[in-house]
């Protein structure tokens, strides 16, 4: 994050500390591979989406366009 401000970086660190970190299980990896094979999705986005789908979680994000077309994924924008 070369353009991140110190305040923005501190906020991100606090968010990570409050988060539950889930492992990339074999099921998540298989789903991410499937997403990459059938959609034009970056690897990191495929892993994030697969983790949410496999664990039956909603994905909260400000830019849902990154995941457009992933029908198994439920996205919410907490800023709207």
């Amino acid at each position: 994050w070369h353009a991140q401000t110190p305040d923005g970086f501190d906020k991100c660190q606090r968010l990570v500390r409050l988060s539950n970190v889930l492992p990339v299980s074999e099921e998540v990896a298989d789903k991410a591979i499937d997403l990459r094979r059938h959609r034009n999705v970056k690897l990191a986005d495929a892993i994030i989406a697969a983790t949410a789908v496999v664990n039956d979680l909603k994905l909260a994000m400000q830019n849902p366009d990154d995941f457009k077309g992933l029908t198994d994924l439920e996205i919410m924008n907490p800023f709207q």
Side-chain angles (χ1 to χ4, degrees), residues 36-56:
R36 294 265 302 162
R37 290 181 70 204
H38 297 99
R39 302 270 191 256
N40 185 18
V41 179
K42 296 176 187 174
L43 177 60
D45 290 344
I47 293 170
I48 291 167
T51 301
V53 170
V54 167
N55 291 286
D56 195 29

Side-chain angles (χ1 to χ4, degrees), residues 31-43 45-46 49 66-73:
K31 182 66 175 176
I33 290 167
D34 186 57
L35 290 172
R36 294 265 302 162
R37 290 181 70 204
H38 297 99
R39 302 270 191 256
N40 185 18
V41 179
K42 296 176 187 174
L43 177 60
D45 290 344
D66 291 345
F67 296 90
K68 189 184 296 184
L70 301 180
T71 57
D72 295 345
L73 182 62

Side-chain angles (χ1 to χ4, degrees), residues 3-72:
Q4 185 63 262
T5 65
D7 183 55
F9 188 74
D10 287 343
K11 288 177 183 176
C12 289
Q13 284 185 314
R14 285 195 310 268
L15 176 63
V16 169
R17 282 193 298 271
L18 293 171
S19 299
N20 292 322
V21 178
L22 300 173
V24 178
S25 65
E26 188 171 335
E27 185 179 7
V28 169
D30 288 343
K31 182 66 175 176
I33 290 167
D34 186 57
L35 290 172
R36 294 265 302 162
R37 290 181 70 204
H38 297 99
R39 302 270 191 256
N40 185 18
V41 179
K42 296 176 187 174
L43 177 60
D45 290 344
I47 293 170
I48 291 167
T51 301
V53 170
V54 167
N55 291 286
D56 195 29
L57 300 170
K58 289 182 185 178
L59 184 59
M61 62 179 334
Q62 191 170 2
N63 187 11
D65 289 343
D66 291 345
F67 296 90
K68 189 184 296 184
L70 301 180
T71 57
D72 295 345

